[in-house]
Amino acid sequence: MADSVQKILERSIPELEDLQERGLFNESEIRSITNKRRDYEYRLQRRGKTLEDFLRYIEYEKSLDKLRLLRKERLKLQKNTLSDFSCTKRVQFIFDRALQRFQRNVSLWLMCIDHAIATKSGKRVGRLFPKALRLHPLNVKLWIKAAEWECNGNQSFSSARILLSRGLRLNRGDPTLYRELFELELSYASVIKERRRILGLDNTTAEESVENESISETKLSIPQLPNEVVEDDANTNNKDLSQDDAKKKMIQGMLAVIVFNNAIQKIKSTKDCIQFGLDCLNISSTYYDDIPNVTNHVLSVFETNTKFNKSEDCWEARVKWHLRSNNDSDSSSGDDEEMGVDNSSRKRARKNVYDVDATVKEDVILLYKTALKILPSVKMYDYYVKFILLYGTGKEILECF
């Protein structure tokens, strides 16, 4: 035990000498750091070591590095030397030993991955994700984290899509993975549309430029996992779209529509399926200006699918979307019109949360009445009454009651 601790401490001698030479720590502080590390190392060498022992050691090293950075900034030292990188390597070394003992702790894997991402250790991230997913193939958070890294870290939408698809093969019908994949496809289509707008490219050229970039990017190399059924994603997509047709319609969000349709069929729990639909409506509404047909498709499914017709929240979501979309269109058309200053100021003064166009209000009331015929529940009546009390006139309120 003593020999192992001594060898680990001897490795830090060059780093400590560098800290002292640069004036960041004096001799007594260096001695205190060595004693503190010795205490932590002895705790990690004992039989009854716990996860808290590793985490305390990691926190100590992080706080020590923060102090080093503050002193370096105060002394206005610009050049990077050995001590600037030693803390990151030491924390990684402690994490590696912790993971050897506590491999089944998913939170520890996520902490280690977050530290690698924060320190911009891309190669280490590429090694950690395959190990973590090999041990925890049924953990949804790890699959989402890996897809986020591919999308945001490597700027590779195709690799992120592959990871989420593999996660769904092992976690069939998981609404969280379907929701992430749905948002990814919308984001992908939005990025291509924005590139096409800026560069003046047509749909096909923009699509090919993104695909060629993603091919050259580094990917996480994750081998086939136990119980993972390999499916031909191209054949699955070809049931709805041919390959050529997919390239033309992808920019319209057709891939997100396919993901949504597959999800509502495979999510077993009705409650989870309804929540998934509501989440997708909120996500697609943020992309409505660029990709309106996805939101329209979700609303049409809410209208025709019996699973969503039996949910008061889905009906209320349709009402809120109807009010918001009409309000946005009215405000945008008002901005385009040329009007006098006095007239515009009076219009803004009149406009408040209680103002709703008469035609829109009639459509909403008709929507509520349709909902009450299909679902005459207390909650549905409560939604209707609140709307009437907020927006209705005296006659409409009396008719409601």
Side-chain angles (χ1 to χ4, degrees):
M1 179 186 296
D3 293 340
S4 300
V5 172
Q6 189 63 28
K7 287 180 181 179
I8 293 173
L9 293 176
E10 286 176 356
R11 295 176 192 170
S12 64
I13 290 176
E15 165 207 347
L16 297 175
E17 289 177 347
D18 183 63
L19 290 172
Q20 188 173 358
E21 289 174 1
R22 303 181 73 189
L24 295 172
F25 293 94
N26 56 39
E27 185 177 351
S28 62
E29 289 173 329
I30 295 295
R31 190 179 298 109
S32 176
I33 292 172
T34 303
N35 293 333
K36 198 74 173 177
R37 285 176 175 174
R38 182 181 289 107
D39 293 339
Y40 280 117
E41 289 295 341
Y42 272 113
R43 291 181 186 179
L44 300 189
Q45 294 295 329
R46 65 185 182 182
R47 287 187 177 181
K49 50 183 172 287
T50 62
L51 180 59
E52 285 72 20
D53 294 329
F54 289 95
L55 297 180
R56 289 194 193 99
Y57 196 1
I58 291 170
E59 287 301 318
Y60 171 75
E61 291 294 338
K62 287 183 177 180
S63 62
L64 184 65
D65 193 56
K66 289 179 182 178
L67 179 60
R68 181 193 62 80
L69 288 172
L70 289 173
R71 293 186 178 183
K72 181 182 177 182
E73 184 179 355
R74 187 187 64 187
L75 296 174
K76 298 180 180 180
L77 300 175
Q78 301 295 331
K79 185 178 179 181
N80 290 332
T81 58
L82 176 64
S83 58
D84 292 285
F85 310 101
S86 58
C87 178
T88 299
K89 293 181 179 179
R90 182 173 292 275
V91 171
Q92 290 175 354
F93 178 55
I94 300 170
F95 266 124
D96 289 341
R97 287 186 287 171
L99 289 172
Q100 287 179 2
R101 185 171 179 83
F102 304 99
Q103 294 184 354
R104 296 296 173 183
N105 193 311
V106 179
S107 299
L108 182 61
W109 281 103
L110 292 172
M111 289 173 58
C112 186
I113 291 169
D114 288 336
H115 176 263
I117 294 174
T119 55
K120 299 179 181 179
S121 304
K123 292 182 179 179
R124 179 172 171 80
V125 174
R127 292 193 300 266
L128 285 171
F129 272 122
K131 293 179 182 178
L133 290 172
R134 200 179 300 122
L135 289 168
H136 306 280
L138 300 181
N139 190 277
V140 174
K141 291 182 179 179
L142 283 173
W143 286 107
I144 294 175
K145 193 80 173 178
E148 287 178 354
W149 164 252
E150 287 289 4
C151 185
N152 301 324
N154 289 334
Q155 302 297 318
S156 176
F157 284 93
S158 59
S159 298
R161 182 187 297 116
I162 291 170
L163 284 171
L164 290 175
S165 300
R166 293 184 65 180
L168 283 168
R169 291 172 193 162
L170 292 162
N171 303 271
R172 293 184 177 276
D174 187 88
T176 307
L177 286 173
Y178 271 118
R179 182 170 61 248
E180 293 293 328
L181 186 56
F182 177 83
E183 187 171 5
L184 177 71
E185 298 297 355
L186 277 175
S187 178
Y188 184 48
S190 178
V191 166
I192 293 176
K193 196 164 188 177
E194 183 66 17
R195 289 185 181 184
R196 183 174 64 90
R197 185 186 66 81
I198 294 173
L199 300 176
L201 304 173
D202 58 15
N203 295 356
T204 306
T205 309
E207 164 68 8
E208 289 176 352
S209 66
V210 175
E211 286 184 350
N212 292 335
E213 288 178 8
S214 64
I215 291 173
S216 62
E217 293 167 343
T218 59
K219 300 180 181 179
L220 293 176
S221 179
I222 301 174
Q224 185 176 348
L225 301 172
N227 300 325
E228 181 181 6
V229 180
V230 179
E231 297 176 353
D232 191 350
D233 293 334
N235 290 339
T236 303
N237 292 337
N238 283 343
K239 293 178 182 178
D240 300 287
L241 296 171
S242 66
Q243 187 174 2
D244 295 336
D245 195 26
K247 287 185 177 181
K248 296 177 182 178
K249 293 188 176 181
M250 180 277 305
I251 197 171
Q252 302 173 0
M254 188 58 68
L255 293 178
V257 171
I258 294 173
V259 171
F260 181 80
N261 291 339
N262 291 337
I264 61 177
Q265 293 176 4
K266 294 183 180 180
I267 296 176
K268 296 180 180 180
S269 172
T270 303
K271 182 179 179 181
D272 291 342
C273 188
I274 291 172
Q275 187 59 50
F276 169 78
L278 294 171
D279 292 341
C280 287
L281 180 61
N282 292 331
I283 294 169
S284 61
S285 63
T286 60
Y287 297 91
Y288 184 77
D289 293 337
D290 293 330
I291 316 169
N293 60 310
V294 177
T295 303
N296 295 333
H297 176 77
V298 174
L299 291 171
S300 67
V301 172
F302 278 16
E303 183 178 358
T304 57
N305 192 298
T306 55
K307 187 183 296 185
F308 295 101
N309 277 337
K310 298 298 181 180
S311 171
E312 297 89 346
D313 293 331
C314 291
W315 284 101
E316 183 65 12
R318 289 176 60 189
V319 169
K320 289 181 178 179
W321 171 254
H322 191 72
L323 290 171
R324 182 172 59 180
S325 59
N326 281 278
N327 186 39
D328 292 342
S329 62
D330 292 342
S331 61
S332 61
S333 63
D335 293 338
D336 295 335
E337 295 177 357
E338 295 182 359
M339 56 182 67
V341 176
D342 295 337
N343 188 28
S344 63
S345 62
R346 284 197 302 269
K347 185 174 181 179
R348 285 195 298 269
R350 259 193 337 266
K351 190 80 173 176
N352 56 62
V353 71
Y354 301 103
D355 291 336
V356 176
D357 184 76
T359 305
V360 175
K361 186 164 61 175
E362 290 178 3
D363 294 339
V364 171
I365 291 175
L366 181 62
L367 186 61
Y368 270 122
K369 289 181 178 179
T370 305
L372 289 170
K373 290 179 181 179
I374 299 174
L375 190 63
S377 64
V378 175
K379 188 175 182 180
M380 195 71 253
Y381 272 104
D382 183 58
Y383 282 139
Y384 179 42
V385 170
K386 286 180 179 178
F387 172 81
I388 291 297
L389 292 176
L390 186 61
Y391 298 103
T393 60
K395 182 180 179 181
E396 291 169 340
I397 294 174
L398 291 175
E399 290 179 353
C400 174
F401 292 99

